[in-house]
Amino acid sequence: MNTLRTAMLLAAMTALFMGVGFLIGGSGGMIIALLFAAGMNLFSYWNADKMVLSMNRAVEVDEKNAPEYYAIVQALAKQAGLPMPKTYLIDSPQPNAFATGRNPENAAVAASTGLLERLSREEVAAVMAHELAHVQHRDTLTMTIVATLAGAISMLGNFAFFFGGSRDNNNPFGFVGVLVAMLVAPFAAMIVQMAVSRTREYEADRRGAEICGQPLWLASALDKIARGAERIPNPDAERNPAMAHLFIINPLSGERMDNLFSTHPSTENRIAALQQMAGAMGGAAPAAPHEAPAPSRPDEAQAGPWGKPSESTPPAEPERAKPNPWGRNPTGPRGAGPKGPWS
């Protein structure tokens, strides 16, 4: 099913390329766009993950320079029966995370420094379990290819004014066709949002909760991330809006409605589904959206996915973010960095 979905998505993107090419340069422009799309499809399959990580300025970390963060991902991957993905850190105050890669053997997960600073250890584990669920469901291939091709469609539309509209390009629509092509570009991200089913987020929430064992950890994390994303801009995501659907919560300003054109389901709906799941699992009573869920008594604390019980109730969101535990370099000096924000 995932292979068929990916093939259908690539076919739709290729058709869009050809349509824009026809509006710009007629039949010749359509052929050039087809060749360009074929090259982009092939390039995206092998390199889209690297491009997405690069556009977000993600830095790879390991057990030496981010030991606790790395250990959480490592334990969760083992719990999910997945190969250990490459682990990245994004130097951004906005709490968020995403996964990328064409298959589980070539996957990568990335979290922002804001996520590690503003969420408890349990909540971070739940978020990374959600991203590993995307890897396990092979959503990452579709998401990375979509991000790359949508950016290319936008670029093609931006160049329409300079390369289209001449009398010798066999364009039957003339300058009107060029204007139509230019108008396609701003809606490229919207087309991506419609092409990629938002049900994958619900499925990743469900599977992520199963991996970490605590649906309410993820419910609390989603609420904190959503509120953080509303207040803290993400300049890299704003410059590349076609990447928005990769993140666990929409990193762009605005667009919070659960409608046809949004990249994600509403956070409230996702939290409600996780609360229902927690109730079905016999867990603690659902917490209010702005409360950090925790066991009702210390002796009821359950083992976390890193192999030891949670020692305290997850703290409420601080008024101000703690200082970046890695200083100016988000990964710290290799082999000698501090332990992390939870020690």
Side-chain angles (χ1 to χ4, degrees), residues 260-342:
L260 180 63
F261 301 108
S262 64
T263 57
H264 297 71
S266 72
T267 304
E268 290 78 10
N269 289 349
R270 294 170 70 181
I271 290 174
L274 288 165
Q275 290 174 340
Q276 291 179 357
M277 182 177 178
M281 293 172 61
H290 293 287
E291 296 177 359
S296 58
R297 297 193 308 273
D299 60 341
E300 291 179 346
Q302 299 185 18
W306 45 85
K308 61 181 181 181
S310 174
E311 297 177 355
S312 62
T313 299
E317 184 179 11
E319 293 296 325
R320 290 181 296 179
K322 293 182 288 186
N324 186 331
W326 298 276
R328 291 182 63 83
N329 177 2
T331 62
R334 193 171 184 84
K339 291 184 178 180
W342 305 290

Side-chain angles (χ1 to χ4, degrees), residues 174-194:
F175 191 70
V176 174
V178 175
L179 288 177
V180 172
M182 291 174 63
L183 292 175
V184 168
F187 293 97
M190 196 175 297
I191 294 171
V192 170
Q193 294 161 10
M194 290 186 288

Side-chain angles (χ1 to χ4, degrees), residues 24-25 32 61 70 93-94 97 128 133 138 158 163 174 184 188-189 201-202 206 247 264 278 282 284 291 302 334:
I24 296 174
I32 293 174
V61 297
Y70 185 90
Q94 184 190 87
M128 302 321 295
R138 297 180 181 267
N158 291 336
F163 297 100
V184 168
E201 290 298 335
Y202 286 116
R206 180 192 61 78
F247 290 84
H264 297 71
E291 296 177 359
Q302 299 185 18
R334 193 171 184 84

Side-chain angles (χ1 to χ4, degrees), residues 13-227:
M13 286 293 184
T14 301
L16 182 59
F17 262 120
M18 294 175 65
V20 174
F22 183 75
L23 290 173
I24 296 174
S27 57
M30 183 172 64
I31 294 174
I32 293 174
L34 175 60
L35 295 176
F36 183 63
M40 284 297 301
N41 289 346
L42 184 62
F43 179 83
S44 298
Y45 179 81
W46 294 104
N47 298 287
D49 54 340
K50 301 179 184 66
M51 293 181 63
V52 170
L53 291 166
S54 176
M55 285 188 288
N56 285 279
R57 295 178 293 176
V59 179
E60 187 173 1
V61 297
D62 55 26
E63 68 276 6
K64 294 180 180 179
N65 50 26
E68 294 194 50
Y69 168 47
Y70 185 90
I72 287 174
V73 177
Q74 188 176 48
L76 289 167
K78 183 177 180 181
Q79 177 73 15
L82 292 169
M84 177 62 186
K86 292 183 178 180
T87 308
Y88 287 81
L89 200 60
I90 304 167
D91 191 12
S92 170
Q94 184 190 87
N96 230 315
F98 67 84
T100 186
R102 62 183 181 272
N103 54 41
E105 290 73 28
N106 295 277
V109 293
S112 69
T113 52
L115 184 89
L116 303 186
E117 291 165 2
R118 294 172 179 272
L119 272 63
S120 70
R121 186 173 181 174
E122 291 82 358
E123 291 163 341
V124 170
V127 170
M128 302 321 295
H130 170 98
E131 300 307 331
L132 289 174
H134 279 309
V135 172
Q136 193 169 55
H137 294 163
R138 297 180 181 267
D139 291 331
T140 50
L141 172 61
T142 301
M143 295 189 308
T144 51
I145 290 178
V146 165
T148 305
L149 294 184
I153 292 171
S154 297
M155 181 180 65
L156 189 61
N158 291 336
F159 282 116
F161 181 80
F162 298 100
F163 297 100
S166 62
R167 296 183 178 181
D168 58 349
N169 63 6
N170 298 320
N171 180 358
F173 300 100
F175 191 70
V176 174
V178 175
L179 288 177
V180 172
M182 291 174 63
L183 292 175
V184 168
F187 293 97
M190 196 175 297
I191 294 171
V192 170
Q193 294 161 10
M194 290 186 288
V196 181
S197 173
R198 289 174 295 137
T199 58
R200 64 178 175 79
E201 290 298 335
Y202 286 116
E203 286 300 309
D205 285 346
R206 180 192 61 78
R207 179 54 184 153
E210 291 175 352
I211 293 172
C212 73
Q214 292 286 348
L216 295 184
W217 288 357
L218 183 55
S220 177
L222 290 175
D223 178 63
K224 286 187 179 181
I225 296 171
R227 288 187 285 135

